[in-house]
Amino acid sequence: MAGTDQAPIDDAAADDAPPHIPELLRQQVERLDGSETNGSAFHGYGKITEAVDDALPEDVQDGSSVGASELPLRAPNGQRGSPAESLSNPDDTPSIQASVSSQILRDEVDPDTPPDPWEVVRWTKLRQVTGQAFSEVGKRNFGKPTCMAVSAAIALGTSKGVILLFDYRQTLKCIIGPGTKAVESGAVTSLAISADHSTVAAGHASGHIFTWDISKSARPFLHISPLAPSQLRDRKVDGHVAGVAILHLGFLGTRHTALASADDRGMAFSHLATRGLGAAGRTIKTQRVLGRYPDDLATTGRPRKPSSVLAFSPLPLGDAEQVTDTMGLVAILTPYLLVIVSATPIAQTQHKAARHKEVAAHGALSGCLAWFPSVKLKVRDPKTSRDVSLAKLVYCWSNVLTVLDVDEQEPKDPAQSDGPPSLSFRPRSRWKAEESIVAVQWLGRSVLGVLTITQQLIILEDGGLRMTDSFDLLQKQIYHLDVFSRQLQMLVEPADGEDSSMHGVVADAFYNSFRAFKGRMFLLGFDDVSVGTLSNWAERLTALMENGDFVGAVELAIAYYNGEGDTLTVGLPEDSMARHAAVEVKLSSTMSTAIGHAFGPEHQADESLGTAELHRLASACFVASVAMDATDFLFDEVFEAFETGDPEGVFLETLEHYILDGRIISVPPTVVKALITHYSAGGLEGRLEEMICQLDTSSMDIDQITSLCKQHNLFDALVYVWNQAIGDYVTPLVDLLSLVVRGADEPTHLAGAMKIFPYLAYTFTSRVYPSGAALDEEVASRAKADLYSFILSGKTVDWPTGSGKPLLTRGKQEVEPSYPYLRLILDFDAPSFMGALNEAFEDPFLNGAPDRLVNGSSEQTGSREGDSGRSVNRQYIVSVLLEVMSNDFPPEDTIYLDMFIARNLPKFPQFILLSGTSLHKIIVGLCQYSQDDIADDRQLSVEYLLSMYRPPDMDSLIPLFTKAGFYRVLKATYKADRQYAKLLQTYFEDRENQELVFDCIGDCLRARAGLGEKQIRDVRQVVREHARELAMIDTIMTAKTLETHAPDLHEEVVSALEDDPHAQYLYLRAILEPDEGVARRRSDGSSAELYIRLMCEYNPSHVADYIELVQAGDLRLEEVLPAMESSGVVDAAVVLMAREGQVRDAMERLTNHLGMLEAALLGLLDGADVPDKKNNEEAVGEILGALRKYTFVGIWLCQGQMKLQKTMQKKQAGKGPASKKQELSPEEDLWLELIDAVVRITKNASHRHQTSSITGAQDPSPETSALRTLVQQTFTALLTTTGSSAGSSAPTSSPSPSFLRILRAFLTRASLSSPSLSDLRSVLASIFSAYAYEESLLALATRLLDKDLFVHVAHATQARQRGWRPLGQQCEGCGRRVWGPGAGGRVWEAWKVREGSRQSGSRAKTLEGTEANERGKGRATPAPATTVPTAAEDERQDQQSKDEDLGPLVVFSCRHLFHKVCLERLLRPDGQGQGEGEGEGVTYRCVVCK
């Protein structure tokens, strides 16, 4: 990267602006008054925006699009005169229609597409420009357009080196280049226009650069020539290479003489011309900032990568002064790097970034970039709090777009503040397109136009890089040229390549064909020039209304007002206040238009607007009105339109959601009346009341709303209005009480009267009824005082107040009782009133403050007659209630008073005082109430009361508690009195919580419970009396509890469960076989015997396992054997009998059981053809399993006896010779019985299979195969047990005499029972064939193992004979190199001979004097020709060894290497190696490792 070490460029000699510029531009510049682009004007980028708007035809103008602060003025057709006068019309005011329609120069501008009002971009072909530049005459005279630059004018460069300059009226202002050297320099390949629009620069295909003063275009202002080949060889100055096209060009700052350029070879330069007279008098200094000349050698020794400048742009100047204004920042994009350099005062690299890794693999190689300068903001940026925006750069590699912010960085050291500025470059956001990006332009400060390789135009908003629109420009035929493929061909992968780092193709260059200026996009096509304008927000709204979608227009306007959608794209400011101000008027007018369309005369004639559209319109109007806080417009114009048009319900139903959400709380009386009428007629009173209770009452007509609420029975709403609008809490209570008085005649009023109690509960607890919101403390105190004063009034009061008419609760002929209103409420529903009072007693208002007086003695409540001065507190309320309800109320009502007092007295003992008599009466009343529906509430009330009051005659209350079923009270009483037996008895009587009895037993009988002996006896007696009941509650828990605390009671519990065997079994199992981790107790014989008998019935498969756990002598055979036999638990019986020494009987029982299984199996085999074949097969399988099980039991029995016999034989071994009798011993008899039974079963089953086979097939059935396997396993066990080796687990090769005797006895018995052995032939044949098969398998396995072992041993031997690799290449004795480089020619020759021999397969000698079979080990046979030198010869031999071969080598297993002679010399002092003769073996040792 060049430029960081270049000589500084002299910027002090910049010349002034040219003395003259074209008259049109001069007048336009004079008219500038700070017009803004996207909220701010900046010179160099959009300084003449107003002039451009005036000059452009109206189809091209974009009054309020991105960058336009107001709609442009337009000129009438054909008007002439001064440009300032001809570009404006005082009578033509800005309007949306002006920006949409095409009214200027219709004869000159012809839109190429129909005027589609909701099209995102309106494209217009510049016909006059196209006609002059692309006509055949124009191409012949000027050449074909090749590039374009846009500023205050439109500049086109051509293939003949000519520049065509058009103004925005499409007038050809000047033709630059003819008659000069420019037309000899090749096609124009790049264009640039200076910041003041007075100078244009052109780069040519030959490498020449010309700048032209537009006002003096006859000759160039500057001419920068390329370097000739001779200059390149002896280079003293910098410059472009001749013949290399200038691809990019731009002015630096405001100066006309400072430029930057880049060429096709990837080189970039800055050019600075000094002040002088004319082009010849100026000196141009060129400095290289990027790239290398073709003849420069690579500094790294690696081949240079192919490169080019894909994109290039100097930073334009904005209207805000920045430190970058004088630095001449230039952004350069190559295929590998983004480089930002400052060209002045010296060329220096400011930022460098490598290509992104996110670039799509195998995609098209492309690059583009564009700057947006720093500008002043109308509104401070809320995120950064800046008044000036940051300069930013957008750059793209292939399909990845990145936005980079540029900011000045404060120096860390204040002493460096006078030095060059330091910049920070921060990549802010990144976006990936689906295809490569070939051009990018800023359409405004926050809007980007992105052109992809398939000519798709994408509109992005900079904030989040969100794509707002996308459309195809392929029909525009945008001009593009293959500029980079020749240079970058090496970066393109071949057709069959798979390298993801390479590209599939190099994209054509589009950057000279896609330009943007003041929010407009200019396209250079192959045959025309077009300009496009993004439609702004007002145009889109108008387009929707013209299309008939008025509701859609309102919804879109709401989105714009709220900042939703593409606000930046359509030209709305980012600031909310500014956006609201811009859209509010238009939104109101759009709503009015939509309402007029929906309910106007034309709509009445055409009923096309359905209910759904009306709902949509109403919703849109509500959203807009609430957003703008314009509810007056909503309830005046909108409601009036809906009311007149007769879809009033649509408006009201939409209003409901806003009221319930709290977004609208104030509604005019006319709308409230309409709400009540509409919802009452539809039977929706509940929803209506909910709405009224959410509204602000200050805007209501009280008389109207109260009358309507009474008329439609909206009592919740009525209460809410009285409370909130007037602050009156007594009047709604009076209205509700009037419903109670009339309730007997009109039952429909009872539902409304029931609202008295929630109303009182809410108000007494400082809550708004019915919403539940908190009341103001002062308002709540006044409301409570008024309500208590009214309800607790001892006599009737005048109502209305001061009218002299008493408010009666009974007929005129009847006498009013004391406390008439309290009595009325209690008569109506005493339980509900007590519930409301129960909540009210929690409120601190009743703590009895002196300023809270009944009947209005306080200042807040006014004055009422009677009981004046009595404070409202809990004591007073309780006293009044006891007085009122003592005589005239039934128990169904007084019981609620008793519960109320019983629960509140313990809570507020300091506020409520009652006598013991009253409390005793309350307890008795709670116990004697006969209804069970509130029994639990009554018991809870007694518990509350007893927590603070202890009756003196508690014993007299016990029967009442027992009769009422107050078991919790009884338990607490007995526990407090330490009457544990009665406590436990109560637990048994309490049917709802009987499972708690186990905790009670544990608490009473635990070691440190503190009970006396009598108390313990009483508790144990209760357990005995309820033993069965206790076990029925939870049998297992009973066993565990008694096992812990009273194990002596087990027998009584088991006896109590005599009629429930299963419960007995569960109980005994919990005792005798507790859970894992619990110690197992040793049981007495009777319990174990009973448990085994029960187990035979409920879990027979576990009997044998349990018997193994029981100690010998704990069980009696006569007690358990019958149960075992009846349940078929023969295995357990055999085990038990064997333990008792009855082995013969055990075998007899086992063989008898095998006989029973045999009979069952034969019966099933005879019925094999039954219809239910599946069940038959399952039964056969179960019997075979049982036969296998019991056969193994017999084997276990026989093996156990054989082990016992061998033990006894060892003990009697020295007492005398053994008997030579050939009779079978008892143990051998057991084997004989078992074998006989198993073989008999197999024989009979096989015979039955053969006789029942229809086809006569000889293949054994699965049943026969299973039985034969069983016989084989039996004989295997016999041979194993009787073998000569006690530890052998397989049959021995020579059977023992015991095995032969048993086999002979078996054959003898078989011959007696069957005259012919043919029946046994198949059985015996299968047995012996199985043995032979096992023997062959063992022999085969042995051979395989031997062979495998031989292979491994041979491999190890071969590896061992290879020797060891030496640790080094030098002899450990003499230090001479014996191998490797420097070892000598003889060694090398020997190695070559050995390698040749190895390749030919021969076994040749590798070193002279060594044998082929010599081992590389410590013990070796030395070569016979070697002699051991004497000590006197050592010195002479060492000298000779330098030039001679020292003979064989010796390598030890430790990998140390010696010459043989060196090793023998070292071993000589120890006496080793002496007397060695030819052919003798000598033992060596390593002298290093000794």
Side-chain angles (χ1 to χ4, degrees):
M1 166 61 198
T4 58
D5 55 351
Q6 300 294 325
I9 298 176
D10 185 10
D11 194 35
D15 59 348
D16 296 331
H20 178 69
I21 60 175
E23 184 65 21
L24 171 63
L25 294 179
R26 178 179 296 280
Q27 294 182 8
Q28 291 176 346
V29 171
E30 290 175 354
R31 295 177 59 233
L32 292 178
D33 56 354
S35 301
E36 299 177 351
T37 298
N38 197 29
S40 301
F42 52 91
H43 60 280
Y45 189 79
K47 191 173 181 180
I48 61 166
T49 56
E50 184 174 319
V52 173
D53 278 337
D54 291 340
L56 277 176
E58 187 174 2
D59 277 355
V60 186
Q61 293 175 8
D62 182 13
S64 56
S65 181
V66 178
S69 59
E70 63 180 13
L71 295 177
L73 301 179
R74 53 190 174 87
N77 293 338
Q79 184 173 350
R80 293 296 185 187
S82 66
E85 295 175 352
S86 62
L87 294 177
S88 62
N89 182 1
D91 298 330
D92 190 7
T93 57
S95 66
I96 299 174
Q97 186 66 24
S99 64
V100 176
S101 61
S102 177
Q103 299 180 2
I104 300 180
L105 305 179
R106 293 186 180 274
D107 55 337
E108 300 177 2
V109 180
D110 180 21
D112 57 353
T113 57
D116 197 356
W118 51 88
E119 192 176 7
V120 178
V121 177
R122 298 252 348 246
W123 293 101
T124 302
K125 181 187 297 184
L126 301 180
R127 296 194 59 180
Q128 287 192 5
V129 173
T130 301
Q132 297 187 58
F134 290 91
S135 65
E136 292 300 326
V137 176
K139 292 178 181 179
R140 185 168 57 251
N141 294 334
F142 310 127
K144 186 175 180 180
T146 57
C147 57
M148 176 177 61
V150 179
S151 181
I154 302 173
L156 298 179
T158 69
S159 59
K160 291 187 177 183
V162 176
I163 302 174
L164 305 179
L165 196 66
F166 296 87
D167 64 9
Y168 280 95
R169 288 182 174 277
Q170 305 187 55
T171 302
L172 181 60
K173 301 301 295 182
C174 60
I175 303 172
I176 300 175
T180 66
K181 191 176 180 179
V183 297
E184 303 173 3
S185 300
V188 178
T189 54
S190 57
L191 282 174
I193 301 177
S194 64
D196 62 357
H197 318 288
S198 65
T199 306
V200 61
H204 292 260
S206 60
H208 290 266
I209 300 174
F210 296 91
T211 64
W212 309 84
D213 185 348
I214 297 177
S215 62
K216 301 176 182 178
S217 60
R219 56 189 178 89
F221 179 69
L222 282 178
H223 176 204
I224 305 173
S225 302
L227 298 181
S230 59
Q231 293 177 297
L232 286 176
R233 287 190 297 269
D234 187 15
R235 189 174 64 252
K236 295 182 180 179
V237 294
D238 284 327
H240 292 283
V241 178
V244 178
I246 308 299
L247 300 184
H248 308 279
L249 190 62
F251 286 93
L252 299 178
T254 58
R255 300 174 56 188
H256 305 158
T257 55
L259 296 95
S261 60
D263 61 26
D264 187 17
R265 297 289 178 84
M267 300 185 68
F269 298 88
S270 65
H271 312 278
L272 182 63
T274 60
R275 182 176 300 178
L277 299 175
R282 295 186 178 92
T283 302
I284 301 173
K285 184 176 181 180
T286 300
Q287 188 175 14
R288 177 167 53 93
V289 296
L290 181 70
R292 294 186 180 276
Y293 290 99
D295 55 351
D296 287 350
L297 298 178
T299 58
T300 61
R302 293 179 296 178
R304 188 180 299 168
K305 293 181 180 180
S307 183
S308 186
V309 179
L310 301 177
F312 177 97
S313 177
L315 172 64
L317 303 180
D319 63 349
E321 185 176 351
Q322 298 292 316
V323 296
T324 57
D325 294 349
T326 60
M327 296 177 65
L329 287 185
V330 180
I332 307 170
L333 192 73
T334 73
Y336 318 103
L337 290 173
L338 167 70
V339 183
I340 301 178
V341 298
S342 56
T344 57
I346 61 172
Q348 184 177 2
T349 301
Q350 298 291 337
H351 177 69
K352 186 187 297 183
R355 187 178 64 174
H356 311 307
K357 296 181 179 180
E358 296 91 341
V359 172
H362 314 294
L365 173 60
S366 64
C368 54
L369 56 79
W371 285 99
F372 194 90
S374 177
V375 296
K376 295 179 181 179
L377 301 177
K378 282 186 175 181
V379 180
R380 185 185 298 270
D381 190 333
K383 296 180 181 179
T384 62
S385 300
R386 291 173 175 263
D387 294 326
V388 178
S389 68
L390 296 177
K392 50 190 175 182
L393 173 71
V394 56
Y395 63 95
C396 309
W397 264 307
S398 293
N399 66 319
V400 180
L401 178 146
T402 306
V403 178
L404 187 77
D405 284 339
V406 182
D407 193 9
E408 182 180 4
Q409 191 172 3
E410 295 292 335
K412 297 180 180 179
D413 187 1
Q416 299 178 355
S417 58
D418 296 336
S422 177
L423 302 179
S424 65
F425 299 84
R426 182 177 61 88
R428 172 164 46 84
S429 51
R430 185 164 292 167
W431 179 77
K432 293 179 68 175
E434 296 180 357
E435 54 191 7
S436 296
I437 301 170
V438 294
V440 62
Q441 290 289 313
W442 289 98
L443 306 182
R445 189 172 66 87
S446 301
V447 182
L448 283 165
V450 177
L451 185 66
T452 67
I453 193 170
T454 59
Q455 300 187 30
Q456 293 284 323
L457 181 60
I458 299 172
I459 308 299
L460 295 179
E461 289 191 353
D462 179 31
L465 290 184
R466 184 175 62 90
M467 184 173 68
T468 61
D469 289 295
S470 174
F471 38 87
D472 189 9
L473 295 182
L474 194 60
Q475 73 279 3
K476 295 294 181 183
Q477 299 184 7
I478 303 174
Y479 178 79
H480 53 91
L481 189 63
D482 181 8
V483 175
F484 307 109
S485 62
R486 182 173 56 87
Q487 280 290 102
L488 305 177
Q489 187 61 37
M490 292 180 62
L491 300 180
V492 178
E493 62 180 345
D496 56 348
E498 296 294 336
D499 188 356
S500 60
S501 64
M502 300 189 71
H503 298 272
V505 69
V506 178
D508 288 355
F510 284 78
Y511 60 88
N512 277 327
S513 307
F514 178 59
R515 300 290 188 179
F517 183 72
K518 195 183 173 295
R520 296 173 179 83
M521 293 166 284
F522 294 83
L523 295 180
L524 174 62
F526 281 96
D527 298 311
D528 58 17
V529 177
S530 302
V531 59
T533 305
L534 286 172
S535 58
N536 59 38
W537 65 274
E539 292 172 343
R540 297 189 182 193
L541 294 180
T542 304
L544 283 173
M545 289 189 290
E546 290 178 352
N547 197 43
D549 189 1
F550 293 90
V551 181
V554 176
E555 293 172 341
L556 183 59
I558 294 170
Y560 289 153
Y561 185 88
N562 293 329
E564 302 169 358
D566 313 330
T567 54
L568 299 177
T569 305
V570 297
L572 286 171
E574 295 181 71
D575 180 64
S576 298
M577 296 182 62
R579 185 178 62 253
H580 291 171
V583 180
E584 186 170 354
V585 176
K586 183 65 177 177
L587 177 56
S588 299
S589 64
T590 304
M591 280 196 297
S592 300
T593 304
I595 292 295
H597 171 74
F599 302 106
E602 62 277 4
H603 172 69
Q604 295 178 1
D606 180 14
E607 297 291 339
S608 61
L609 202 59
T611 305
E613 283 297 309
L614 289 176
H615 276 283
R616 184 180 166 207
L617 175 61
S619 178
C621 292
F622 270 91
V623 172
S625 300
V626 171
M628 296 188 298
D629 194 18
T631 54
D632 293 341
F633 173 82
L634 179 68
F635 292 123
D636 291 341
E637 185 173 341
V638 179
F639 174 69
E640 182 180 354
F642 274 89
E643 186 180 30
T644 305
D646 202 25
E648 183 182 21
V650 173
F651 181 90
L652 299 176
E653 290 170 7
T654 307
L655 175 62
E656 177 185 358
H657 301 290
Y658 285 82
I659 294 176
L660 298 179
D661 291 345
R663 287 179 285 178
I664 295 179
I665 60 174
S666 180
V667 178
T670 55
V671 181
V672 173
K673 180 179 180 181
L675 274 173
I676 295 175
T677 304
H678 174 73
Y679 279 86
S680 299
L684 304 174
E685 288 83 0
R687 290 165 57 183
L688 176 60
E689 284 189 305
E690 189 177 358
M691 281 189 286
I692 294 177
C693 294
Q694 296 289 335
L695 294 175
D696 181 12
T697 57
S698 60
S699 61
M700 295 182 181
D701 186 335
I702 302 302
D703 292 337
Q704 178 199 53
I705 190 67
T706 53
S707 300
L708 290 173
C709 289
K710 290 180 181 179
Q711 177 183 351
H712 298 283
N713 296 324
L714 305 178
F715 300 109
D716 282 345
L718 178 65
V719 172
Y720 177 80
V721 172
W722 277 114
N723 293 165
Q724 299 302 310
I726 306 176
D728 188 349
Y729 287 83
V730 177
T731 300
L733 179 60
V734 173
D735 292 339
L736 295 175
L737 286 176
S738 65
L739 299 177
V740 176
V741 176
R742 293 180 293 170
D745 301 328
E746 301 181 29
T748 55
H749 292 163
L750 292 179
M754 287 299 297
K755 297 182 182 295
I756 292 175
F757 308 107
Y759 169 55
L760 293 177
Y762 273 60
T763 308
F764 286 158
T765 54
S766 304
R767 291 178 292 169
V768 176
Y769 180 80
S771 64
L775 272 173
D776 180 72
E777 184 177 357
E778 182 179 354
V779 174
S781 298
R782 184 170 62 251
K784 296 171 191 175
D786 289 347
L787 288 176
Y788 281 125
S789 176
F790 179 80
I791 294 173
L792 300 178
S793 175
K795 59 182 180 180
T796 58
V797 299
D798 293 341
W799 195 261
T801 302
S803 63
K805 297 181 180 179
L807 180 62
L808 303 178
T809 61
R810 308 198 176 186
K812 294 182 179 181
Q813 306 300 325
E814 301 181 29
V815 178
E816 292 288 329
S818 60
Y819 301 101
Y821 309 116
L822 177 61
R823 288 180 182 274
L824 180 62
I825 296 174
L826 291 172
D827 283 336
F828 176 58
D829 194 340
S832 298
F833 181 69
M834 292 301 168
L837 276 184
N838 193 54
E839 292 186 51
F841 264 42
E842 303 289 340
D843 190 71
F845 178 83
L846 296 178
N847 290 345
D851 59 338
R852 294 167 182 166
L853 305 177
V854 180
N855 292 337
S857 296
S858 64
E859 296 179 359
Q860 289 92 340
T861 59
S863 176
R864 296 189 190 278
E865 299 179 0
D867 296 330
S868 177
R870 186 181 297 276
S871 176
V872 180
N873 54 39
R874 298 177 182 85
Q875 179 68 49
Y876 176 70
I877 295 175
V878 170
S879 301
V880 172
L881 289 174
L882 288 173
E883 177 184 349
V884 171
M885 301 186 70
S886 59
N887 297 320
D888 300 335
F889 287 85
E892 289 78 5
D893 292 337
T894 58
I895 189 64
Y896 289 96
L897 176 61
D898 294 338
M899 289 192 294
F900 170 74
I901 296 174
R903 295 193 184 190
N904 284 282
L905 183 61
K907 295 180 185 178
F908 311 104
Q910 71 275 31
F911 297 110
I912 304 175
L913 298 177
L914 294 177
S915 64
T917 304
S918 300
L919 296 178
H920 187 274
K921 183 179 178 181
I922 290 174
I923 294 176
V924 172
L926 291 172
C927 294
Q928 292 182 343
Y929 186 71
S930 58
Q931 301 296 330
D932 294 334
D933 53 343
I934 56 173
D936 193 63
D937 292 330
R938 292 188 289 118
Q939 181 175 203
L940 183 61
S941 300
V942 172
E943 290 179 286
Y944 268 101
L945 190 55
L946 291 179
S947 66
M948 55 81 60
Y949 168 68
R950 178 72 178 179
D953 53 346
M954 178 62 76
D955 293 340
S956 64
L957 296 176
I958 295 298
L960 294 177
F961 295 153
T962 305
K963 183 178 180 181
F966 291 173
Y967 295 110
R968 294 199 303 271
V969 177
L970 290 171
K971 292 173 187 177
T973 303
Y974 289 140
K975 189 172 184 179
D977 295 341
R978 298 180 59 84
Q979 300 182 32
Y980 295 105
K982 292 184 179 180
L983 172 63
L984 183 58
Q985 181 70 33
T986 305
Y987 272 100
F988 282 111
E989 294 174 357
D990 185 5
R991 302 298 180 185
E992 295 182 359
N993 298 295
Q994 284 188 326
E995 65 277 359
L996 300 178
V997 70
F998 302 106
D999 295 334
C1000 180
I1001 295 173
D1003 293 339
C1004 294
L1005 298 182
R1006 70 175 184 270
R1008 298 183 180 180
L1011 275 69
E1013 293 183 2
K1014 183 178 183 307
Q1015 290 175 319
I1016 293 176
R1017 287 197 303 272
D1018 293 342
V1019 170
R1020 294 169 67 90
Q1021 182 60 34
V1022 174
V1023 174
R1024 290 189 183 95
E1025 294 174 356
H1026 297 84
R1028 177 177 175 79
E1029 184 178 356
L1030 183 64
M1032 290 295 100
I1033 294 173
D1034 191 332
T1035 305
I1036 296 176
M1037 194 64 192
T1038 302
K1040 292 180 179 180
T1041 303
L1042 295 183
E1043 177 68 17
T1044 304
H1045 302 289
D1048 57 311
L1049 298 179
H1050 285 319
E1051 185 175 353
E1052 298 186 26
V1053 176
V1054 172
S1055 301
L1057 296 174
E1058 188 173 0
D1059 58 342
D1060 192 348
H1062 186 261
Q1064 280 184 326
Y1065 165 70
L1066 295 177
Y1067 189 88
L1068 291 172
R1069 186 182 66 181
I1071 298 173
L1072 301 179
E1073 292 189 282
D1075 298 334
E1076 186 176 355
V1078 181
R1080 188 186 303 274
R1081 69 188 299 268
R1082 181 175 179 179
S1083 63
D1084 57 339
S1086 59
S1087 299
E1089 292 167 0
L1090 176 59
Y1091 180 52
I1092 291 175
R1093 291 198 298 271
L1094 295 171
M1095 194 188 306
C1096 289
E1097 179 179 357
Y1098 296 108
N1099 190 11
S1101 61
H1102 184 61
V1103 176
D1105 297 333
Y1106 178 70
I1107 288 177
E1108 296 289 341
L1109 304 175
V1110 180
Q1111 296 184 4
D1114 288 351
L1115 298 175
R1116 294 171 293 177
L1117 291 177
E1118 62 273 11
E1119 295 294 332
V1120 296
L1121 281 179
M1124 292 180 179
E1125 292 179 350
S1126 63
S1127 59
V1129 189
V1130 178
D1131 54 343
V1134 169
V1135 172
L1136 188 58
M1137 294 176 70
R1139 286 173 52 180
E1140 295 294 331
Q1142 302 180 16
V1143 181
R1144 173 65 62 180
D1145 294 340
M1147 180 58 72
E1148 183 179 356
R1149 288 179 183 272
L1150 180 62
T1151 55
N1152 290 339
H1153 188 67
L1154 289 174
M1156 295 172 58
L1157 293 176
E1158 176 190 3
L1161 177 62
L1162 296 178
L1164 290 173
L1165 293 177
D1166 291 338
D1169 296 333
V1170 296
D1172 194 0
K1173 188 175 182 179
K1174 184 177 180 180
N1175 291 336
N1176 189 72
E1177 292 176 353
E1178 293 178 356
V1180 170
E1182 292 177 359
I1183 293 178
L1184 289 176
L1187 286 171
R1188 178 181 175 82
K1189 171 184 174 183
Y1190 290 113
T1191 299
F1192 283 115
V1193 172
I1195 292 173
W1196 169 83
L1197 181 61
C1198 295
Q1199 288 176 337
Q1201 289 305 115
M1202 292 297 290
K1203 291 179 182 178
L1204 182 61
Q1205 179 194 15
K1206 290 180 180 180
T1207 304
M1208 294 178 64
Q1209 287 176 353
K1210 289 180 180 180
K1211 292 180 180 180
Q1212 299 175 359
K1215 295 182 180 180
S1219 176
K1220 296 184 178 180
K1221 291 178 60 178
Q1222 296 298 319
E1223 289 83 3
L1224 297 179
S1225 65
E1227 292 78 13
E1228 294 171 344
D1229 272 337
L1230 294 178
W1231 278 107
L1232 180 60
E1233 293 295 333
L1234 177 63
I1235 292 174
D1236 184 62
V1238 175
V1239 172
R1240 184 186 68 249
I1241 296 172
T1242 305
K1243 179 189 67 174
N1244 294 337
S1246 302
H1247 179 71
R1248 190 65 54 87
H1249 170 67
Q1250 292 177 358
T1251 56
S1252 62
S1253 176
I1254 300 176
T1255 61
Q1258 298 301 319
D1259 294 336
S1261 65
E1263 296 82 6
T1264 304
S1265 299
L1267 292 173
R1268 290 180 181 178
T1269 303
L1270 203 58
V1271 172
Q1272 177 185 346
Q1273 292 171 343
T1274 306
F1275 272 95
T1276 302
L1278 171 61
L1279 188 58
T1280 302
T1281 306
T1282 59
S1284 59
S1285 177
S1288 176
S1289 60
T1292 60
S1293 59
S1294 58
S1296 67
S1298 180
F1299 173 79
L1300 296 177
R1301 286 197 300 271
I1302 296 172
L1303 181 60
R1304 184 166 50 249
F1306 165 70
L1307 296 176
T1308 301
R1309 180 179 294 185
S1311 64
L1312 294 176
S1313 62
S1314 178
S1316 174
L1317 291 179
S1318 60
D1319 296 336
L1320 294 176
R1321 182 178 300 147
S1322 60
V1323 176
L1324 296 176
S1326 64
I1327 293 172
F1328 294 121
S1329 63
Y1331 286 130
Y1333 178 68
E1334 288 185 0
E1335 182 181 4
S1336 63
L1337 284 180
L1338 290 174
L1340 178 61
T1342 302
R1343 288 196 300 271
L1344 292 175
L1345 289 174
D1346 291 343
K1347 181 179 179 180
D1348 189 55
L1349 180 62
F1350 174 78
V1351 171
H1352 286 289
V1353 170
H1355 178 73
T1357 303
Q1358 183 182 4
R1360 185 181 181 88
Q1361 289 180 349
R1362 289 181 181 177
W1364 297 280
R1365 181 174 181 175
L1367 187 64
Q1369 299 177 351
Q1370 295 177 346
C1371 173
E1372 300 290 345
C1374 65
R1376 291 185 61 187
R1377 186 179 296 275
V1378 298
W1379 188 248
R1386 295 177 59 84
V1387 177
W1388 172 251
E1389 293 296 331
W1391 179 83
K1392 290 198 296 182
V1393 170
R1394 179 173 179 176
E1395 287 299 312
S1397 300
R1398 180 180 299 173
Q1399 293 177 2
S1400 61
S1402 64
R1403 302 279 295 175
K1405 296 181 180 179
T1406 59
L1407 291 173
E1408 185 178 354
T1410 61
E1411 295 293 333
N1413 61 348
E1414 182 175 322
R1415 298 173 180 267
K1417 297 171 60 178
R1419 185 175 183 85
T1421 302
T1426 304
T1427 61
V1428 179
T1430 64
E1433 298 173 343
D1434 285 347
E1435 184 177 355
R1436 179 173 53 84
Q1437 187 174 1
D1438 290 342
Q1439 182 64 29
Q1440 293 177 353
S1441 64
K1442 296 180 180 179
D1443 302 323
E1444 298 178 359
D1445 182 17
L1446 297 181
L1449 304 176
V1450 178
V1451 182
F1452 291 95
S1453 61
C1454 59
R1455 298 174 60 191
H1456 288 125
L1457 176 67
F1458 295 89
H1459 288 108
K1460 182 173 177 239
V1461 294
C1462 297
L1463 179 63
E1464 291 175 347
R1465 184 172 64 251
L1466 293 173
L1467 293 174
R1468 187 180 305 157
D1470 296 334
Q1472 299 291 337
Q1474 296 294 329
E1476 179 183 4
E1478 182 175 352
E1480 291 184 357
V1482 179
T1483 301
Y1484 295 111
R1485 62 182 176 82
C1486 178
V1487 297
V1488 177
C1489 301
K1490 67 179 179 179

